Amino acid sequence: MTAVTPELLSRFDIPGPRYTSFPTADRFVEAFGTEDYILALQQRKAQAPFGATRALPLSLYVHVPFCDSLCYYCACNKIITKHHEKAAEYLDYLAREVDLHTRHCGRGQPVSQLHLGGGTPTFFSDDELRRLMELLRGHFRLEAGGEYSIEVDPRTVSNERLAALKALGFNRLSFGVQDFDPEVQQAVHRVQPAEQVFALVQEARRLGFASINVDLIYGLPRQSSESFARTLEQVNALRPDRIALYAYAHLPERFKPQRRIVSAELPQGADKIRMLSGAIEAFMGAGYCYVGMDHFALPEDPLAVAKRQGRLHRNFQGYSTQPDCDLIALGVSAIGKVGATYSQNAKTLEEYYDALDSGQLPVVRGLALSRDDLVRRAVIMSIMCQGAVLFEPMEQAWLLNFREYFAAEMQALKEMEGNGLVELGEEGFQVTALGWFFVRAVAMLFDRYLQADRNRARFSRII
């Protein structure tokens, strides 16, 4: 941590993407619409050698936008409501969307990964979740041994609800904790006693869930390196299988709920560095593997295994064990990836419902990737997932001379090497331990869109 000087912070703690995709979602265009997405689905079906059931496994993402209460830090697409009857209507429209998908890509497509995110997926009742799972199983084939996860707000579940989730086939849970400190919880309007989370995790383990993840955020109002250190101790005592640690992105001009946060209560760059550094030290000291920019996992967890074996991938939900497979995204604002395309659904319920009422998939924008996009995506994902790029495999995969193709980027890397962020060699380059604090800045060198666009205020700062 002491190596992160004020000079490094001023130079590299800049706004930039998290690179859950490349190109990033802000590059999607409305010129890519429903017909383009349907073509991608049909091409996927045509590429299956013996019909849809022999296609490579899919990932599914279902976005549930509803929440009972507002968390001030949240930048997700959400609808705050106490009217739970809205869930049944939303499920009706999800059923239409699923049916339209299988018309174009075939019924019975194998699925090896499913994630329910939000919003708050546990806004749905047990019966509504059962209906959703029956819908998905009726149109797709959920494979044995797949990863089936759901995000859980600890305030919305009980031991009985956990048992119901297990019976529905979910084998992975992600608990939104953010911080155990009561003062911080009050500042962000998300009060949940630590004892409640500990009891739920204990019950989840008793029920036999394969993996438990805890989400944390550093940089929240009223946080300090000392208070966050206490949260880190509690998380280590909880010992989840995975930990996702995110930097809070304060963008009140974009996300209205964040205007309720008192800016003067936010920790500054140096204190955020101490929090991040303290987290890395605390978790690795407790036996966790540092998977990447924002994830830790126990050594035997599939995420840590994938990192060691070079199979780690990054998608719209963060780091993943799945290969670079197609992702079908369902629900309002959901983002998917099929073939060399990205697509996003309508961001409001009204637009989402109107499209489906017209018998159309609710895609409103997206992108068909060029060869250059694909090459750069491969480089950026290698940086984000492995912290290294080897020249020869890239050259063989894309039939190019890496040093010539990325001549300008190689020059910029030399400057970063001088600051101790990367190490350059004859066979490639790798991110240093110091460089991991700024890994997004390393990846940004290869983002030609960002290099040509100096308006970066729409992104969060790296640290």
Side-chain angles (χ1 to χ4, degrees), residues 249-314:
H250 190 57
L251 299 168
E253 65 282 0
R254 287 184 58 195
F255 306 113
K256 189 175 179 180
Q258 295 184 355
R259 297 171 194 171
R260 304 192 187 195
I261 285 176
V262 180
S263 297
E265 294 181 341
L266 292 170
Q268 299 307 302
D271 211 24
K272 291 178 72 176
I273 278 285
R274 283 190 285 270
M275 291 181 203
L276 177 57
S277 178
I280 294 172
E281 183 178 347
F283 293 144
M284 293 186 71
Y288 284 91
C289 297
Y290 187 26
V291 173
M293 181 183 78
D294 45 24
H295 278 67
F296 301 82
L298 293 174
E300 64 275 13
D301 186 90
L303 206 60
V305 174
K307 173 67 179 287
R308 290 195 297 272
Q309 295 178 348
R311 297 184 294 103
L312 195 64
H313 182 61
R314 195 161 171 81

Side-chain angles (χ1 to χ4, degrees), residues 168-244:
L168 288 174
F170 292 103
N171 53 23
R172 295 174 178 272
L173 299 175
S174 181
F175 287 98
V177 170
Q178 322 319 345
D179 195 306
F180 280 127
D181 186 273
E183 283 291 311
V184 177
Q185 291 183 358
Q186 289 178 8
V188 299
H189 199 238
R190 188 185 177 101
V191 176
Q192 50 191 29
E195 296 79 10
Q196 180 184 31
V197 177
F198 272 73
L200 289 170
V201 170
Q202 182 180 12
E203 179 63 12
R205 288 200 175 101
R206 189 191 69 79
L207 290 167
F209 281 91
S211 181
I212 296 168
N213 175 79
V214 163
D215 284 347
L216 301 175
I217 300 177
Y218 71 95
L220 292 173
R222 303 184 193 172
Q223 267 182 346
S224 67
S225 53
E226 293 78 19
S227 72
F228 198 57
R230 293 191 291 271
T231 287
L232 299 176
E233 288 180 10
Q234 290 171 289
V235 173
N236 276 337
L238 190 64
R239 203 154 182 84
D241 302 277
R242 297 179 183 178
I243 301 165

Side-chain angles (χ1 to χ4, degrees), residues 369-377 395 397-400 405:
L369 277 65
S370 67
R371 182 179 184 275
D372 181 70
D373 290 335
L374 294 169
V375 172
R376 291 176 181 275
R377 182 174 72 178
E395 291 174 339
W398 298 102
L399 301 177
L400 52 78
Y405 195 92

